[in-house]
Amino acid sequence: MSHCIIFFIAVFISSPIAALYGLAASILGAGLSQLNGEPIKEVHMGLFGFNAVLSAIVFSGVKKTDGLWVLIAVLLTIAIDDLLIDNHCLDAVGGVFTFPFVAGTWITLLIQKVFLKAKV
């Protein structure tokens, strides 16, 4: 638990908005994963919030549209995380690690590129 507080404080010192988005993402990740039936012990360990926090930090910013991109990235990351864990997809290599964060970020960037290209 203390490592979570230290991580939050470090991010907050660097970027308060990123820390707040990360806190919201952690709560959303834990809540949605619990609703999806993930084991409460693993939810309490933070296994379903960490990747969501990383995704939130990447897309955080002060513009109103940044909030939308954070939400999209976080929801994609949570969905990928839960899907991979439920189906034991990466158990052979030791677990999902930060793959859901990477995949969720890539997909969000692709959506951003398509959306911004269509807007121009």
Side-chain angles (χ1 to χ4, degrees):
M1 180 68 172
S2 63
H3 63 281
C4 297
I5 294 169
I6 293 170
F7 184 74
F8 177 79
I9 291 170
V11 174
F12 188 83
I13 289 169
S14 174
S15 172
I17 192 77
L20 295 176
Y21 274 126
L23 179 63
S26 178
I27 293 167
L28 187 62
L32 290 178
S33 295
Q34 187 174 359
L35 285 175
N36 189 38
E38 301 301 340
I40 194 71
K41 182 179 178 185
E42 292 178 8
V43 171
H44 281 215
M45 288 173 46
L47 297 181
F48 300 98
F50 184 69
N51 285 306
V53 169
L54 295 177
S55 293
I57 290 171
V58 167
F59 291 98
S60 66
V62 294
K63 293 185 270 181
K64 290 180 184 178
T65 55
D66 292 335
L68 175 64
W69 294 116
V70 167
L71 181 63
I72 291 168
V74 167
L75 291 176
L76 283 169
T77 300
I78 293 167
I80 293 167
D81 199 10
D82 285 356
L83 180 75
L84 292 174
I85 289 173
D86 287 348
N87 294 303
H88 307 284
C89 293
L90 297 175
D91 286 356
V93 294
V96 297
F97 301 111
T98 57
F99 180 76
F101 154 67
V102 173
T105 300
W106 283 357
I107 294 168
T108 304
L109 288 171
L110 180 64
I111 293 169
Q112 260 186 344
K113 186 174 182 170
V114 169
F115 178 75
L116 295 176
K117 193 176 207 179
K119 199 174 177 183
V120 175

